[in-house]
Amino acid sequence: MSKQYLTTHTVEDAHPTDIFSLATTSSCVISASGSSSLKIYSTLSSDFPLVQTLEGVHKLGCHHVATSSNGRRLVSVGFGGEVKLWKNESEDGQSHWLEDGKLAEKAGEIWAVSLSEDGQYLTSTTSDGRVNVYDLSAEGRPKIHQFETKGSFGMCIDMSQDGTLTASGHASGSIFVFSNTDRRLRHSLPSLLKPIRSVRFSPSATLLAAAGDASIIALYDVSSGEQVAALSGHGGSWIFGLDWSSTGEWLASSAWDGKVKVWRTETRESVATLREQGEKCVWDVRWLKGEGVKGIEAGRRRGEGFVTGGASKAISFYREAAGSG
């Protein structure tokens, strides 16, 4: 089985430097780069217009952005260590982001971030391997819990959609799954021995995908903690981005080799490979959400689409070709 994805739109020179991180809501894509500004593109129309620029918010650039599943909260983390919170004030269905405070933490205390579905809780990794949990609805937005690991730099993090689990990936190759309900370590998963750059729970939280410098995508059964698959297809390239489609049927990956691949979860096979122009590193990939797929339909049969960003400084939107798969 194979699928075909078409480029529906590319925003050339979307940022003056590499685009390191993307986040999506049902109406927009937020992009972050080595420059100081965040940019927001609407996914409600087929030309994906720039609808807002948050100017100069991270002087040294931004390495991570994340949104809550309900689309109401955004968090951005800068290379200077600053962590900024944003709230969504929708206007005619289109997102409009306003600054909503900061997290006052010392450098190295927050690197990768993830938000709960309602935006109340934020989890983050630290430079010494801890995983912190913050309550963003409480006064002062305090840190309410801290998970300990084996002390290796926490490079990536994800929270399950139901908010019950958090996974972290580390420079040592270690991967941990924590229970947010009883605040205990649930699994120390089989290591990939090389740095982990992305971890993602499937929508149902039955599977966890992890990838990085080992050049494979490991799939773990969340219930048992066992590795159930190793997906190969990026050659020897480091894998930076992972994201599941809304149904969990498809997994997208992006890598240093400039390739984006789509995998079928059921068969563990690659069904599509796309090469970014110039074959430059693709730092991140995200499936479009909810109403946002209207922008990729453009009058065609509904099919899930995704967006990419990387070293080309461009943002590219893809949709499934009509009749594909």
Side-chain angles (χ1 to χ4, degrees):
M1 176 183 180
S2 63
K3 297 173 74 68
Q4 184 179 5
Y5 289 87
L6 306 176
T7 306
T8 60
H9 187 70
T10 297
V11 182
E12 301 287 354
D13 296 317
H15 288 261
T17 63
D18 287 26
I19 298 167
F20 294 121
S21 186
L22 300 168
T24 59
T25 72
S26 60
S27 63
C28 73
V29 172
I30 301 101
S31 60
S33 72
S35 63
S36 61
S37 300
L38 304 181
K39 294 190 176 183
I40 292 90
Y41 294 87
S42 173
T43 57
L44 298 181
S45 61
S46 59
D47 57 348
F48 303 97
L50 176 67
V51 292
Q52 188 180 4
T53 300
L54 303 175
E55 298 278 3
V57 296
H58 293 289
K59 291 183 179 180
L60 300 180
C62 177
H63 52 79
H64 281 91
V65 287
T67 51
S68 57
S69 295
N70 66 9
R72 296 176 183 173
R73 185 177 292 282
L74 164 70
V75 58
S76 58
V77 188
F79 283 102
E82 69 281 0
V83 182
K84 295 193 175 183
L85 304 173
W86 309 84
K87 60 182 179 180
N88 183 359
E89 298 289 345
S90 296
E91 298 177 356
D92 298 325
Q94 181 59 61
S95 296
H96 182 75
W97 297 93
L98 300 174
E99 189 167 350
D100 191 34
K102 304 176 182 179
L103 286 183
E105 288 285 15
K106 62 183 179 181
E109 195 65 11
I110 296 180
W111 180 254
V113 289
S114 183
L115 290 166
S116 62
E117 187 279 335
D118 59 2
Q120 179 178 352
Y121 298 104
L122 180 149
T123 57
S124 70
T125 60
T126 69
S127 59
D128 61 2
R130 290 172 290 115
V131 172
N132 293 329
V133 183
Y134 298 84
D135 186 345
L136 302 183
S137 66
E139 184 176 356
R141 288 160 173 161
K143 180 168 68 175
I144 58 173
H145 190 66
Q146 177 177 285
F147 294 110
E148 299 289 343
T149 68
K150 297 179 180 179
S152 175
F153 191 105
M155 303 184 73
C156 51
I157 196 166
D158 192 36
M159 195 184 307
S160 61
Q161 283 191 11
D162 63 7
T164 61
L165 300 170
T166 292
S168 62
H170 298 258
S172 63
S174 298
I175 307 161
F176 301 97
V177 176
F178 303 96
S179 169
N180 296 330
T181 52
D182 58 18
R183 298 182 176 181
R184 299 178 63 181
L185 175 67
R186 183 162 173 177
H187 298 299
S188 177
L189 300 177
S191 172
L192 296 186
L193 303 178
K194 295 182 179 181
I196 306 297
R197 299 185 182 271
S198 185
V199 289
R200 293 286 175 205
F201 285 105
S202 64
S204 62
T206 55
L207 293 173
L208 178 75
D213 295 10
S215 305
I216 66 166
I217 302 168
L219 297 184
Y220 298 92
D221 182 294
V222 174
S223 177
S224 68
E226 295 182 1
Q227 183 176 336
V228 295
L231 311 181
S232 301
H234 283 287
S237 289
W238 296 353
I239 300 169
F240 290 96
L242 294 172
D243 200 32
W244 298 88
S245 65
S246 61
T247 62
E249 187 178 1
W250 314 104
L251 176 68
S253 60
S254 64
W256 179 265
D257 59 4
K259 294 178 183 177
V260 177
K261 297 184 76 68
V262 178
W263 309 82
R264 189 180 186 191
T265 307
E266 182 181 1
T267 60
R268 318 290 203 243
E269 65 177 339
S270 171
V271 296
T273 301
L274 297 90
R275 290 172 173 82
E276 293 275 306
Q277 187 174 3
E279 297 190 356
K280 295 182 178 180
C281 173
V282 183
W283 292 105
D284 209 359
V285 58
R286 288 285 182 272
W287 292 92
L288 298 178
K289 296 179 179 177
E291 292 298 307
V293 299
K294 288 183 176 179
I296 64 166
E297 285 177 357
R300 300 173 186 268
R301 180 184 66 84
R302 175 178 290 273
E304 288 193 278
F306 53 86
V307 59
T308 64
S312 69
K313 308 173 188 177
I315 296 174
S316 295
F317 294 86
Y318 297 89
R319 66 162 174 83
E320 182 183 346
S324 173

